[in-house]
Amino acid sequence: MNIQKIDYNTSIMHESPLFSGYYIETLRHTDVLLGRGVGINRRAGNVYFREVVSQHVEDYLTSTKTRKMEISRSVIDHIHSLNPPGRFLEKDEVTGSWRECEIKRAHEKTAQALRDGAARLRTNKRPISGEKKKKDTTIPQLLSRPAKKQRNNNIERNCA
């Protein structure tokens, strides 16, 4: 197995026998982890990634396809330019180790995050910053809600 030292953050990377790439032993605070779940969402790199994405959502919403690709690429370049450089990592399900994903996969994740932010902005369901929208409990809002149906227990009685 090849072991190769790299300059950033004194991480050690091991060559992966299953993928063209390397397994990552040490995660950096600037790394963006691909996947789902609270643990991944709360990582510093993922939180920062969402902040960077939120700064580009309005421009993304009104852009041409070519410009959207440029915006996505600029977000990826920004993450890569951090100190230490941020990486887009995905978990190898067989070994459980993290490895740097291909740039195409990083672009897909970034474009999806931009689309999700644009959809939230368009529908105004919740703020881009990730804060929950407060429930509207004003009198007009309460009055416009349909009344709850009352259950009639006498309808479905069996007579034997």
Side-chain angles (χ1 to χ4, degrees), residues 4-118:
Q4 181 182 25
K5 287 198 178 205
I6 58 173
D7 296 332
Y8 320 116
N9 206 22
T10 63
S11 295
I12 298 173
M13 298 166 54
H14 299 284
E15 190 172 352
S16 165
L18 302 175
F19 301 103
S20 61
Y22 292 89
Y23 289 126
I24 309 296
E25 277 189 9
T26 306
L27 297 178
R28 303 176 190 152
H29 67 279
T30 55
D31 289 336
V32 177
L33 304 183
L34 281 65
R36 301 174 70 139
V38 174
I40 289 176
N41 284 335
R42 288 185 180 166
R43 284 202 45 92
N46 290 56
V47 170
Y48 184 72
F49 170 75
R50 287 193 304 274
E51 288 175 11
V52 172
V53 165
S54 70
Q55 295 169 6
H56 293 84
V57 168
E58 277 192 55
D59 187 23
Y60 188 86
L61 185 62
T62 58
S63 295
T64 63
K65 184 176 181 178
T66 303
R67 178 69 183 129
K68 287 179 179 181
M69 290 171 50
E70 291 170 0
I71 293 168
S72 178
R73 182 64 199 190
S74 73
V75 171
I76 294 168
D77 289 344
H78 180 78
I79 296 298
H80 286 159
S81 72
L82 297 174
N83 187 15
R87 304 169 291 190
F88 289 83
L89 305 178
E90 57 187 0
K91 198 167 206 172
D92 177 355
E93 296 301 323
V94 176
T95 65
S97 298
W98 292 96
R99 67 176 182 87
E100 194 161 3
C101 69
E102 295 178 6
I103 194 71
K104 180 181 178 184
R105 183 78 175 96
H107 175 73
E108 289 169 358
K109 177 177 178 66
T110 304
Q112 184 63 52
L114 287 161
R115 284 192 301 272
D116 290 347

